Amino acid sequence: MSSEHERSHAIDESRFFSLGEQRVVVEDFPAAGWILDIGGGGEGVISQLKGNQVVAIDLSQRELAGINADSLKVIMDARELKFLDASFDTVTAFFSLLFVNPPDHARIFEEAFRVLKPGGRFLIWEANLPARSDPIKDIIVIRLKVMIPHKEISTGFGYFWPDHVQDDRYYVDLARKAGFRISEPKGRGLTFSLELTKP
Ligand SMILES: C[S@@+](CC[C@H](N)C(=O)[O-])C[C@H]1O[C@@H](n2cnc3c(N)ncnc32)[C@H](O)[C@@H]1O
């Protein structure tokens, strides 16, 4: 790609609204069998934590190819999972849902619910996004310092800033509509984690 081309596609930084750097601690968690990690590309945090137990799915081949872990990487759309009903004990989404068009969220919760076994868990780590308040700044940027056992991972993402509040309550509402039982969100600053169970 020419530098001319790159320049013409560079995003104007005045559009960025930064949430600053957030520290996220991801403890190891018990999980039997395969773990389905939705939007599991990028750093592949869940792949790095749980290795060859993980099936990491992502729309982007490039995002999957960069993962430095022994997970199974599959190009797949979380809106239409290619797994049979009740295939997994655990589904995870680590800072993936903020990268999804909000109208697609309900469908992704329904799909996660469908592929989980009864008693299975959907574990989510996410950001509490405020509603967009600036007509110029339409891209929200978050940097993460992720602590997994014995390792620290620095990463960052930017995506279109929604005009509604997209916080733990927003996701709890989607989860309830999909049929999940919900634990109280665990929050730390602008990030939170959520544990959902398929009854
Ligand atoms: C910010 S990254 C997630 C970070 C990643 N979980 C990690 O551990 O570094 C969001 C990912 O979600 C993926 N994504 C967005 N919509 C998706 C969809 N409908 N199905 C599957 N992946 C999707 C994007 O391609 C992107 O790689």
Side-chain angles (χ1 to χ4, degrees):
M1 199 190 316
S2 72
S3 55
E4 188 66 30
H5 183 85
E6 280 171 8
R7 262 199 303 280
S8 66
H9 283 73
I11 299 175
D12 179 354
E13 288 192 16
S14 65
R15 292 173 60 190
F16 293 169
F17 178 81
S18 175
L19 290 178
E21 184 175 79
Q22 306 295 316
R23 190 169 176 275
V24 180
V25 179
V26 183
E27 310 278 3
D28 196 6
F29 53 86
W34 293 106
I35 299 165
L36 174 64
D37 188 32
I38 289 174
E43 293 296 325
V45 168
I46 302 302
S47 288
Q48 293 201 49
L49 179 64
K50 299 301 258 183
N52 61 11
Q53 250 192 295
V54 178
V55 181
I57 66 126
D58 201 292
L59 282 179
S60 163
Q61 189 268 348
R62 200 184 55 162
E63 292 291 330
L64 289 170
I67 300 176
N68 183 19
D70 194 18
S71 49
L72 180 64
K73 297 142 190 116
V74 186
I75 301 166
M76 196 185 293
D77 189 340
R79 293 167 295 188
E80 198 183 341
L81 296 173
K82 302 296 183 190
F83 303 103
L84 299 183
D85 297 356
S87 294
F88 294 91
D89 289 298
T90 313
V91 176
T92 54
F94 183 85
F95 289 87
S96 303
L97 298 172
L98 84 167
F99 250 74
V100 165
N101 277 337
D104 293 333
H105 279 139
R107 176 84 184 134
I108 290 176
F109 275 79
E110 286 161 14
E111 280 292 85
F113 188 89
R114 182 182 67 74
V115 302
L116 274 169
K117 298 177 187 171
R121 298 188 301 160
F122 184 17
L123 308 176
I124 296 171
W125 293 261
E126 260 308 326
N128 282 309
L129 301 186
R132 184 173 158 195
S133 56
D134 186 320
I136 310 271
K137 296 190 184 299
D138 62 344
I139 295 176
I140 197 147
V141 176
I142 182 163
R143 282 184 297 118
L144 298 181
K145 194 179 277 274
V146 186
M147 324 293 290
I148 62 175
H150 313 299
K151 198 166 186 181
E152 185 181 307
I153 303 165
S154 291
T155 184
F157 326 110
Y159 199 62
F160 298 106
W161 188 1
D163 52 16
H164 56 261
V165 176
Q166 203 165 285
D167 60 0
D168 51 0
R169 293 290 136 200
Y170 169 87
Y171 292 108
V172 162
D173 191 44
L174 287 165
R176 192 165 288 128
K177 286 181 179 143
F180 283 106
R181 222 172 42 225
I182 297 144
S183 71
E184 192 53 31
K186 289 191 191 126
R188 195 193 148 87
L190 288 171
T191 65
F192 66 91
S193 63
L194 200 54
E195 180 178 324
L196 311 174
T197 306
K198 179 171 176 171

PDB file of all heavy atoms in Angstrom, residues 37-46 57-60 63 76-79 93-101 104 108 155-157, ligand 1:
ATOM      1  N   ASP A  37     -14.778 -18.566  22.171  1.00  0.00           N
ATOM      2  CA  ASP A  37     -14.457 -17.152  22.410  1.00  0.00           C
ATOM      3  C   ASP A  37     -14.915 -16.328  21.208  1.00  0.00           C
ATOM      4  O   ASP A  37     -14.370 -16.438  20.105  1.00  0.00           O
ATOM      5  CB  ASP A  37     -12.946 -16.990  22.641  1.00  0.00           C
ATOM      6  CG  ASP A  37     -12.589 -15.573  23.082  1.00  0.00           C
ATOM      7  OD1 ASP A  37     -13.421 -14.939  23.774  1.00  0.00           O
ATOM      8  OD2 ASP A  37     -11.492 -15.096  22.729  1.00  0.00           O
ATOM      9  N   ILE A  38     -15.905 -15.482  21.443  1.00  0.00           N
ATOM     10  CA  ILE A  38     -16.523 -14.664  20.389  1.00  0.00           C
ATOM     11  C   ILE A  38     -15.695 -13.392  20.173  1.00  0.00           C
ATOM     12  O   ILE A  38     -15.357 -12.704  21.131  1.00  0.00           O
ATOM     13  CB  ILE A  38     -17.956 -14.295  20.825  1.00  0.00           C
ATOM     14  CG1 ILE A  38     -18.858 -15.523  20.765  1.00  0.00           C
ATOM     15  CG2 ILE A  38     -18.526 -13.178  19.985  1.00  0.00           C
ATOM     16  CD1 ILE A  38     -20.239 -15.274  21.309  1.00  0.00           C
ATOM     17  N   GLY A  39     -15.384 -13.095  18.917  1.00  0.00           N
ATOM     18  CA  GLY A  39     -14.543 -11.923  18.631  1.00  0.00           C
ATOM     19  C   GLY A  39     -13.176 -12.133  19.246  1.00  0.00           C
ATOM     20  O   GLY A  39     -12.569 -11.236  19.814  1.00  0.00           O
ATOM     21  N   GLY A  40     -12.694 -13.357  19.095  1.00  0.00           N
ATOM     22  CA  GLY A  40     -11.496 -13.782  19.831  1.00  0.00           C
ATOM     23  C   GLY A  40     -10.169 -13.440  19.177  1.00  0.00           C
ATOM     24  O   GLY A  40      -9.123 -13.932  19.617  1.00  0.00           O
ATOM     25  N   GLY A  41     -10.203 -12.582  18.129  1.00  0.00           N
ATOM     26  CA  GLY A  41      -8.949 -12.190  17.471  1.00  0.00           C
ATOM     27  C   GLY A  41      -8.169 -11.178  18.293  1.00  0.00           C
ATOM     28  O   GLY A  41      -8.228 -11.185  19.513  1.00  0.00           O
ATOM     29  N   GLY A  42      -7.418 -10.337  17.631  1.00  0.00           N
ATOM     30  CA  GLY A  42      -6.634  -9.304  18.327  1.00  0.00           C
ATOM     31  C   GLY A  42      -5.533  -9.938  19.152  1.00  0.00           C
ATOM     32  O   GLY A  42      -4.755 -10.763  18.671  1.00  0.00           O
ATOM     33  N   GLU A  43      -5.476  -9.568  20.420  1.00  0.00           N
ATOM     34  CA  GLU A  43      -4.476 -10.180  21.313  1.00  0.00           C
ATOM     35  C   GLU A  43      -4.861 -11.610  21.678  1.00  0.00           C
ATOM     36  O   GLU A  43      -4.030 -12.382  22.137  1.00  0.00           O
ATOM     37  CB  GLU A  43      -4.337  -9.364  22.598  1.00  0.00           C
ATOM     38  CG  GLU A  43      -3.736  -7.983  22.418  1.00  0.00           C
ATOM     39  CD  GLU A  43      -2.296  -8.043  21.933  1.00  0.00           C
ATOM     40  OE1 GLU A  43      -1.571  -8.966  22.331  1.00  0.00           O
ATOM     41  OE2 GLU A  43      -1.909  -7.163  21.155  1.00  0.00           O
ATOM     42  N   GLY A  44      -6.149 -11.932  21.508  1.00  0.00           N
ATOM     43  CA  GLY A  44      -6.591 -13.274  21.869  1.00  0.00           C
ATOM     44  C   GLY A  44      -6.374 -13.554  23.347  1.00  0.00           C
ATOM     45  O   GLY A  44      -5.767 -14.560  23.729  1.00  0.00           O
ATOM     46  N   VAL A  45      -6.890 -12.670  24.184  1.00  0.00           N
ATOM     47  CA  VAL A  45      -6.625 -12.776  25.628  1.00  0.00           C
ATOM     48  C   VAL A  45      -7.120 -14.121  26.183  1.00  0.00           C
ATOM     49  O   VAL A  45      -6.412 -14.791  26.937  1.00  0.00           O
ATOM     50  CB  VAL A  45      -7.274 -11.582  26.386  1.00  0.00           C
ATOM     51  CG1 VAL A  45      -7.276 -11.810  27.888  1.00  0.00           C
ATOM     52  CG2 VAL A  45      -6.530 -10.291  26.038  1.00  0.00           C
ATOM     53  N   ILE A  46      -8.324 -14.534  25.771  1.00  0.00           N
ATOM     54  CA  ILE A  46      -8.858 -15.802  26.295  1.00  0.00           C
ATOM     55  C   ILE A  46      -8.040 -16.975  25.736  1.00  0.00           C
ATOM     56  O   ILE A  46      -7.766 -17.949  26.435  1.00  0.00           O
ATOM     57  CB  ILE A  46     -10.367 -15.935  25.983  1.00  0.00           C
ATOM     58  CG1 ILE A  46     -11.148 -14.750  26.582  1.00  0.00           C
ATOM     59  CG2 ILE A  46     -10.913 -17.268  26.509  1.00  0.00           C
ATOM     60  CD1 ILE A  46     -11.018 -14.566  28.081  1.00  0.00           C
ATOM     61  N   ILE A  57     -13.413 -17.501  17.541  1.00  0.00           N
ATOM     62  CA  ILE A  57     -14.039 -17.149  16.262  1.00  0.00           C
ATOM     63  C   ILE A  57     -14.018 -15.636  16.091  1.00  0.00           C
ATOM     64  O   ILE A  57     -14.132 -14.875  17.059  1.00  0.00           O
ATOM     65  CB  ILE A  57     -15.487 -17.696  16.126  1.00  0.00           C
ATOM     66  CG1 ILE A  57     -16.437 -17.031  17.122  1.00  0.00           C
ATOM     67  CG2 ILE A  57     -15.511 -19.215  16.281  1.00  0.00           C
ATOM     68  CD1 ILE A  57     -17.633 -16.426  16.455  1.00  0.00           C
ATOM     69  N   ASP A  58     -13.842 -15.226  14.850  1.00  0.00           N
ATOM     70  CA  ASP A  58     -13.779 -13.794  14.546  1.00  0.00           C
ATOM     71  C   ASP A  58     -14.136 -13.613  13.068  1.00  0.00           C
ATOM     72  O   ASP A  58     -13.880 -14.511  12.255  1.00  0.00           O
ATOM     73  CB  ASP A  58     -12.361 -13.263  14.820  1.00  0.00           C
ATOM     74  CG  ASP A  58     -12.336 -11.759  15.029  1.00  0.00           C
ATOM     75  OD1 ASP A  58     -12.596 -11.010  14.065  1.00  0.00           O
ATOM     76  OD2 ASP A  58     -12.054 -11.329  16.168  1.00  0.00           O
ATOM     77  N   LEU A  59     -14.693 -12.469  12.734  1.00  0.00           N
ATOM     78  CA  LEU A  59     -14.986 -12.148  11.328  1.00  0.00           C
ATOM     79  C   LEU A  59     -13.701 -11.954  10.538  1.00  0.00           C
ATOM     80  O   LEU A  59     -13.681 -12.145   9.332  1.00  0.00           O
ATOM     81  CB  LEU A  59     -15.773 -10.832  11.239  1.00  0.00           C
ATOM     82  CG  LEU A  59     -17.254 -10.844  11.555  1.00  0.00           C
ATOM     83  CD1 LEU A  59     -17.797  -9.410  11.431  1.00  0.00           C
ATOM     84  CD2 LEU A  59     -17.994 -11.762  10.607  1.00  0.00           C
ATOM     85  N   SER A  60     -12.651 -11.567  11.237  1.00  0.00           N
ATOM     86  CA  SER A  60     -11.430 -11.142  10.552  1.00  0.00           C
ATOM     87  C   SER A  60     -10.330 -12.209  10.595  1.00  0.00           C
ATOM     88  O   SER A  60      -9.844 -12.581  11.675  1.00  0.00           O
ATOM     89  CB  SER A  60     -10.919  -9.849  11.209  1.00  0.00           C
ATOM     90  OG  SER A  60      -9.587  -9.625  10.872  1.00  0.00           O
ATOM     91  N   GLU A  63      -7.182 -10.703  12.188  1.00  0.00           N
ATOM     92  CA  GLU A  63      -7.205 -10.632  13.658  1.00  0.00           C
ATOM     93  C   GLU A  63      -6.907 -11.991  14.286  1.00  0.00           C
ATOM     94  O   GLU A  63      -6.250 -12.081  15.315  1.00  0.00           O
ATOM     95  CB  GLU A  63      -8.571 -10.128  14.146  1.00  0.00           C
ATOM     96  CG  GLU A  63      -8.863  -8.688  13.810  1.00  0.00           C
ATOM     97  CD  GLU A  63      -7.988  -7.713  14.569  1.00  0.00           C
ATOM     98  OE1 GLU A  63      -7.573  -8.013  15.694  1.00  0.00           O
ATOM     99  OE2 GLU A  63      -7.687  -6.642  14.004  1.00  0.00           O
ATOM    100  N   MET A  76     -15.640 -16.847  11.541  1.00  0.00           N
ATOM    101  CA  MET A  76     -17.077 -17.113  11.719  1.00  0.00           C
ATOM    102  C   MET A  76     -17.759 -15.851  12.244  1.00  0.00           C
ATOM    103  O   MET A  76     -17.142 -15.066  12.968  1.00  0.00           O
ATOM    104  CB  MET A  76     -17.274 -18.266  12.727  1.00  0.00           C
ATOM    105  CG  MET A  76     -18.651 -18.875  12.710  1.00  0.00           C
ATOM    106  SD  MET A  76     -18.876 -20.123  14.021  1.00  0.00           S
ATOM    107  CE  MET A  76     -17.763 -21.416  13.508  1.00  0.00           C
ATOM    108  N   ASP A  77     -19.017 -15.699  11.883  1.00  0.00           N
ATOM    109  CA  ASP A  77     -19.807 -14.551  12.313  1.00  0.00           C
ATOM    110  C   ASP A  77     -20.584 -14.928  13.584  1.00  0.00           C
ATOM    111  O   ASP A  77     -21.349 -15.894  13.573  1.00  0.00           O
ATOM    112  CB  ASP A  77     -20.778 -14.180  11.182  1.00  0.00           C
ATOM    113  CG  ASP A  77     -21.500 -12.874  11.428  1.00  0.00           C
ATOM    114  OD1 ASP A  77     -21.565 -12.430  12.591  1.00  0.00           O
ATOM    115  OD2 ASP A  77     -22.002 -12.306  10.439  1.00  0.00           O
ATOM    116  N   ALA A  78     -20.398 -14.167  14.631  1.00  0.00           N
ATOM    117  CA  ALA A  78     -21.079 -14.464  15.905  1.00  0.00           C
ATOM    118  C   ALA A  78     -22.589 -14.315  15.789  1.00  0.00           C
ATOM    119  O   ALA A  78     -23.323 -14.807  16.646  1.00  0.00           O
ATOM    120  CB  ALA A  78     -20.545 -13.541  16.998  1.00  0.00           C
ATOM    121  N   ARG A  79     -23.048 -13.648  14.726  1.00  0.00           N
ATOM    122  CA  ARG A  79     -24.507 -13.513  14.538  1.00  0.00           C
ATOM    123  C   ARG A  79     -25.120 -14.792  13.990  1.00  0.00           C
ATOM    124  O   ARG A  79     -26.335 -14.966  13.999  1.00  0.00           O
ATOM    125  CB  ARG A  79     -24.804 -12.365  13.559  1.00  0.00           C
ATOM    126  CG  ARG A  79     -24.446 -10.997  14.113  1.00  0.00           C
ATOM    127  CD  ARG A  79     -24.457  -9.958  13.034  1.00  0.00           C
ATOM    128  NE  ARG A  79     -23.411 -10.217  12.038  1.00  0.00           N
ATOM    129  CZ  ARG A  79     -23.088  -9.390  11.057  1.00  0.00           C
ATOM    130  NH1 ARG A  79     -23.706  -8.239  10.925  1.00  0.00           N
ATOM    131  NH2 ARG A  79     -22.134  -9.704  10.211  1.00  0.00           N
ATOM    132  N   ALA A  93     -16.637 -13.494  25.811  1.00  0.00           N
ATOM    133  CA  ALA A  93     -16.489 -12.334  24.914  1.00  0.00           C
ATOM    134  C   ALA A  93     -15.656 -11.310  25.673  1.00  0.00           C
ATOM    135  O   ALA A  93     -16.138 -10.710  26.651  1.00  0.00           O
ATOM    136  CB  ALA A  93     -17.845 -11.760  24.539  1.00  0.00           C
ATOM    137  N   PHE A  94     -14.419 -11.154  25.243  1.00  0.00           N
ATOM    138  CA  PHE A  94     -13.514 -10.231  25.936  1.00  0.00           C
ATOM    139  C   PHE A  94     -13.402  -8.952  25.103  1.00  0.00           C
ATOM    140  O   PHE A  94     -12.747  -8.936  24.061  1.00  0.00           O
ATOM    141  CB  PHE A  94     -12.133 -10.874  26.125  1.00  0.00           C
ATOM    142  CG  PHE A  94     -11.178 -10.002  26.887  1.00  0.00           C
ATOM    143  CD1 PHE A  94     -11.178 -10.011  28.273  1.00  0.00           C
ATOM    144  CD2 PHE A  94     -10.313  -9.149  26.231  1.00  0.00           C
ATOM    145  CE1 PHE A  94     -10.314  -9.185  28.989  1.00  0.00           C
ATOM    146  CE2 PHE A  94      -9.440  -8.321  26.934  1.00  0.00           C
ATOM    147  CZ  PHE A  94      -9.450  -8.347  28.318  1.00  0.00           C
ATOM    148  N   PHE A  95     -14.064  -7.898  25.544  1.00  0.00           N
ATOM    149  CA  PHE A  95     -14.062  -6.607  24.840  1.00  0.00           C
ATOM    150  C   PHE A  95     -14.331  -6.783  23.342  1.00  0.00           C
ATOM    151  O   PHE A  95     -13.664  -6.185  22.502  1.00  0.00           O
ATOM    152  CB  PHE A  95     -12.754  -5.832  25.098  1.00  0.00           C
ATOM    153  CG  PHE A  95     -12.688  -5.331  26.511  1.00  0.00           C
ATOM    154  CD1 PHE A  95     -12.188  -6.136  27.517  1.00  0.00           C
ATOM    155  CD2 PHE A  95     -13.185  -4.086  26.850  1.00  0.00           C
ATOM    156  CE1 PHE A  95     -12.170  -5.705  28.843  1.00  0.00           C
ATOM    157  CE2 PHE A  95     -13.176  -3.645  28.167  1.00  0.00           C
ATOM    158  CZ  PHE A  95     -12.669  -4.451  29.163  1.00  0.00           C
ATOM    159  N   SER A  96     -15.308  -7.633  23.038  1.00  0.00           N
ATOM    160  CA  SER A  96     -15.711  -7.859  21.644  1.00  0.00           C
ATOM    161  C   SER A  96     -17.030  -7.170  21.339  1.00  0.00           C
ATOM    162  O   SER A  96     -17.257  -6.733  20.223  1.00  0.00           O
ATOM    163  CB  SER A  96     -15.896  -9.357  21.378  1.00  0.00           C
ATOM    164  OG  SER A  96     -14.718 -10.053  21.675  1.00  0.00           O
ATOM    165  N   LEU A  97     -17.895  -7.077  22.339  1.00  0.00           N
ATOM    166  CA  LEU A  97     -19.261  -6.597  22.072  1.00  0.00           C
ATOM    167  C   LEU A  97     -19.276  -5.111  21.725  1.00  0.00           C
ATOM    168  O   LEU A  97     -20.160  -4.658  21.007  1.00  0.00           O
ATOM    169  CB  LEU A  97     -20.168  -6.902  23.269  1.00  0.00           C
ATOM    170  CG  LEU A  97     -20.316  -8.404  23.572  1.00  0.00           C
ATOM    171  CD1 LEU A  97     -21.063  -8.624  24.888  1.00  0.00           C
ATOM    172  CD2 LEU A  97     -21.029  -9.127  22.430  1.00  0.00           C
ATOM    173  N   LEU A  98     -18.264  -4.368  22.186  1.00  0.00           N
ATOM    174  CA  LEU A  98     -18.223  -2.949  21.834  1.00  0.00           C
ATOM    175  C   LEU A  98     -17.853  -2.773  20.361  1.00  0.00           C
ATOM    176  O   LEU A  98     -18.004  -1.695  19.802  1.00  0.00           O
ATOM    177  CB  LEU A  98     -17.285  -2.154  22.751  1.00  0.00           C
ATOM    178  CG  LEU A  98     -15.795  -2.090  22.477  1.00  0.00           C
ATOM    179  CD1 LEU A  98     -15.142  -1.003  23.303  1.00  0.00           C
ATOM    180  CD2 LEU A  98     -15.124  -3.395  22.746  1.00  0.00           C
ATOM    181  N   PHE A  99     -17.399  -3.831  19.710  1.00  0.00           N
ATOM    182  CA  PHE A  99     -16.991  -3.815  18.303  1.00  0.00           C
ATOM    183  C   PHE A  99     -18.108  -4.272  17.383  1.00  0.00           C
ATOM    184  O   PHE A  99     -17.893  -4.492  16.197  1.00  0.00           O
ATOM    185  CB  PHE A  99     -15.802  -4.751  18.109  1.00  0.00           C
ATOM    186  CG  PHE A  99     -14.527  -4.031  17.820  1.00  0.00           C
ATOM    187  CD1 PHE A  99     -13.870  -3.355  18.819  1.00  0.00           C
ATOM    188  CD2 PHE A  99     -13.988  -4.030  16.537  1.00  0.00           C
ATOM    189  CE1 PHE A  99     -12.697  -2.686  18.560  1.00  0.00           C
ATOM    190  CE2 PHE A  99     -12.816  -3.363  16.270  1.00  0.00           C
ATOM    191  CZ  PHE A  99     -12.163  -2.681  17.281  1.00  0.00           C
ATOM    192  N   VAL A 100     -19.280  -4.473  17.954  1.00  0.00           N
ATOM    193  CA  VAL A 100     -20.406  -5.016  17.193  1.00  0.00           C
ATOM    194  C   VAL A 100     -21.431  -3.902  17.008  1.00  0.00           C
ATOM    195  O   VAL A 100     -21.650  -3.101  17.922  1.00  0.00           O
ATOM    196  CB  VAL A 100     -21.018  -6.200  18.002  1.00  0.00           C
ATOM    197  CG1 VAL A 100     -22.384  -6.585  17.481  1.00  0.00           C
ATOM    198  CG2 VAL A 100     -20.071  -7.395  18.015  1.00  0.00           C
ATOM    199  N   ASN A 101     -22.049  -3.860  15.839  1.00  0.00           N
ATOM    200  CA  ASN A 101     -23.110  -2.876  15.628  1.00  0.00           C
ATOM    201  C   ASN A 101     -24.212  -3.121  16.644  1.00  0.00           C
ATOM    202  O   ASN A 101     -24.715  -4.243  16.737  1.00  0.00           O
ATOM    203  CB  ASN A 101     -23.711  -3.021  14.225  1.00  0.00           C
ATOM    204  CG  ASN A 101     -22.878  -2.291  13.216  1.00  0.00           C
ATOM    205  OD1 ASN A 101     -22.144  -1.367  13.556  1.00  0.00           O
ATOM    206  ND2 ASN A 101     -22.991  -2.706  11.968  1.00  0.00           N
ATOM    207  N   ASP A 104     -27.030  -5.597  16.268  1.00  0.00           N
ATOM    208  CA  ASP A 104     -26.682  -7.030  16.213  1.00  0.00           C
ATOM    209  C   ASP A 104     -26.490  -7.660  17.595  1.00  0.00           C
ATOM    210  O   ASP A 104     -26.313  -8.873  17.713  1.00  0.00           O
ATOM    211  CB  ASP A 104     -25.383  -7.234  15.414  1.00  0.00           C
ATOM    212  CG  ASP A 104     -25.552  -6.882  13.946  1.00  0.00           C
ATOM    213  OD1 ASP A 104     -26.691  -6.995  13.451  1.00  0.00           O
ATOM    214  OD2 ASP A 104     -24.550  -6.505  13.314  1.00  0.00           O
ATOM    215  N   ILE A 108     -26.564 -11.818  18.887  1.00  0.00           N
ATOM    216  CA  ILE A 108     -25.359 -12.487  19.404  1.00  0.00           C
ATOM    217  C   ILE A 108     -25.638 -13.115  20.778  1.00  0.00           C
ATOM    218  O   ILE A 108     -25.202 -14.232  21.062  1.00  0.00           O
ATOM    219  CB  ILE A 108     -24.162 -11.512  19.411  1.00  0.00           C
ATOM    220  CG1 ILE A 108     -23.763 -11.248  17.954  1.00  0.00           C
ATOM    221  CG2 ILE A 108     -23.001 -12.044  20.237  1.00  0.00           C
ATOM    222  CD1 ILE A 108     -22.668 -10.238  17.742  1.00  0.00           C
ATOM    223  N   THR A 155      -3.073  -3.503  25.197  1.00  0.00           N
ATOM    224  CA  THR A 155      -3.781  -3.473  23.927  1.00  0.00           C
ATOM    225  C   THR A 155      -4.681  -2.241  23.897  1.00  0.00           C
ATOM    226  O   THR A 155      -4.818  -1.535  24.898  1.00  0.00           O
ATOM    227  CB  THR A 155      -4.583  -4.791  23.725  1.00  0.00           C
ATOM    228  OG1 THR A 155      -5.192  -4.794  22.438  1.00  0.00           O
ATOM    229  CG2 THR A 155      -5.649  -4.983  24.781  1.00  0.00           C
ATOM    230  N   GLY A 156      -5.275  -1.982  22.763  1.00  0.00           N
ATOM    231  CA  GLY A 156      -6.172  -0.828  22.651  1.00  0.00           C
ATOM    232  C   GLY A 156      -7.092  -0.981  21.462  1.00  0.00           C
ATOM    233  O   GLY A 156      -6.754  -1.660  20.496  1.00  0.00           O
ATOM    234  N   PHE A 157      -8.281  -0.390  21.561  1.00  0.00           N
ATOM    235  CA  PHE A 157      -9.264  -0.503  20.480  1.00  0.00           C
ATOM    236  C   PHE A 157      -9.949   0.838  20.263  1.00  0.00           C
ATOM    237  O   PHE A 157     -10.079   1.637  21.182  1.00  0.00           O
ATOM    238  CB  PHE A 157     -10.396  -1.484  20.829  1.00  0.00           C
ATOM    239  CG  PHE A 157     -10.010  -2.651  21.674  1.00  0.00           C
ATOM    240  CD1 PHE A 157     -10.442  -2.754  22.989  1.00  0.00           C
ATOM    241  CD2 PHE A 157      -9.225  -3.662  21.152  1.00  0.00           C
ATOM    242  CE1 PHE A 157     -10.115  -3.846  23.764  1.00  0.00           C
ATOM    243  CE2 PHE A 157      -8.887  -4.753  21.918  1.00  0.00           C
ATOM    244  CZ  PHE A 157      -9.327  -4.851  23.227  1.00  0.00           C
TER     245      PHE A 157
HETATM  246  C1  LIG B   1     -11.601  -5.401  20.109  1.00  0.00           C
HETATM  247  S1  LIG B   1     -11.528  -6.920  19.282  1.00  0.00           S
HETATM  248  C2  LIG B   1     -11.687  -8.054  20.610  1.00  0.00           C
HETATM  249  C3  LIG B   1     -10.454  -8.212  21.422  1.00  0.00           C
HETATM  250  C4  LIG B   1     -10.062  -9.657  21.623  1.00  0.00           C
HETATM  251  N1  LIG B   1     -11.134 -10.427  22.259  1.00  0.00           N
HETATM  252  C5  LIG B   1      -8.779  -9.791  22.398  1.00  0.00           C
HETATM  253  O1  LIG B   1      -8.701 -10.655  23.294  1.00  0.00           O
HETATM  254  O2  LIG B   1      -7.811  -9.067  22.096  1.00  0.00           O
HETATM  255  C6  LIG B   1     -13.134  -7.106  18.581  1.00  0.00           C
HETATM  256  C7  LIG B   1     -13.193  -8.225  17.552  1.00  0.00           C
HETATM  257  O3  LIG B   1     -14.556  -8.539  17.313  1.00  0.00           O
HETATM  258  C8  LIG B   1     -14.645  -8.978  15.971  1.00  0.00           C
HETATM  259  N2  LIG B   1     -16.045  -8.960  15.554  1.00  0.00           N
HETATM  260  C9  LIG B   1     -16.867  -7.897  15.370  1.00  0.00           C
HETATM  261  N3  LIG B   1     -18.084  -8.300  14.971  1.00  0.00           N
HETATM  262  C10 LIG B   1     -18.048  -9.659  14.935  1.00  0.00           C
HETATM  263  C11 LIG B   1     -18.984 -10.672  14.582  1.00  0.00           C
HETATM  264  N4  LIG B   1     -20.231 -10.354  14.195  1.00  0.00           N
HETATM  265  N5  LIG B   1     -18.597 -11.963  14.631  1.00  0.00           N
HETATM  266  C12 LIG B   1     -17.339 -12.304  14.997  1.00  0.00           C
HETATM  267  N6  LIG B   1     -16.391 -11.385  15.338  1.00  0.00           N
HETATM  268  C13 LIG B   1     -16.734 -10.089  15.287  1.00  0.00           C
HETATM  269  C14 LIG B   1     -13.741  -8.002  15.233  1.00  0.00           C
HETATM  270  O4  LIG B   1     -13.316  -8.531  13.983  1.00  0.00           O
HETATM  271  C15 LIG B   1     -12.580  -7.827  16.215  1.00  0.00           C
HETATM  272  O5  LIG B   1     -11.491  -8.684  15.932  1.00  0.00           O
END
